[in-house]
Amino acid sequence: MEEDFGGFTDPSDGVLTEAAGVFGLLASPARLHLMWALSQSESDVTCLADRVGGALPAVSQHLAKLKLAGLVRSRREGRRQIYYVDDPDIVTVVRVTVGQLTARSHQVPAPVRRLREAGV
């Protein structure tokens, strides 16, 4: 029986397991960087390797895992394989999370700010 907690019901075990799998894949900094890059624009593996600073074989393996999980898709353009994120929800999660953490990293902690304002 599903219970209502403040207007929300708990997700099923299957949904939680699937979500944990997605978050597990995104727990790798390399894969998260690839998802960030692909959330900005589609790209081939060579450009992605250059952008994220990874070796081509490693980036290919990360893309294969993301593709197998359904987070990334690809299409062929001539001899190149173009990768892209086809799920706007995943793009939103990645952009919001990385964006918020980036903004927080640029904030000066309050004690340091007060010292600067005091001329110290």
Side-chain angles (χ1 to χ4, degrees):
M1 178 176 170
E2 291 184 1
E3 274 191 71
D4 189 331
F5 296 99
F8 296 97
T9 57
D10 285 345
S12 69
D13 288 344
V15 168
L16 291 171
T17 299
E18 189 174 344
V22 169
F23 286 121
L25 279 169
L26 297 179
S28 158
R31 285 192 291 271
L32 186 56
H33 196 172
L34 288 169
M35 291 298 291
W36 173 259
L38 290 172
S39 77
Q40 308 305 308
S41 67
E42 56 189 34
S43 187
D44 68 8
V45 67
T46 304
C47 291
L48 286 168
D50 288 342
R51 180 166 177 181
V52 302
L56 199 62
V59 170
S60 291
Q61 287 181 355
H62 287 305
L63 288 168
K65 288 179 181 180
L66 292 168
K67 191 174 178 182
L68 187 63
L71 299 179
V72 167
R73 294 180 134 193
S74 67
R75 70 174 185 284
R76 186 156 294 286
E77 282 188 6
R79 294 168 53 195
R80 298 180 335 151
Q81 195 77 7
I82 305 297
Y83 292 89
Y84 60 96
V85 181
D86 193 34
D87 185 340
D89 294 330
I90 293 297
V91 169
T92 300
V93 168
V94 170
R95 284 184 178 172
V96 168
T97 302
V98 172
Q100 288 289 5
L101 292 172
T102 299
R104 286 181 196 164
S105 73
H106 292 270
Q107 292 176 349
V108 179
V112 174
R113 191 174 26 233
R114 282 194 295 264
L115 288 173
R116 286 185 185 161
E117 290 170 357
V120 176

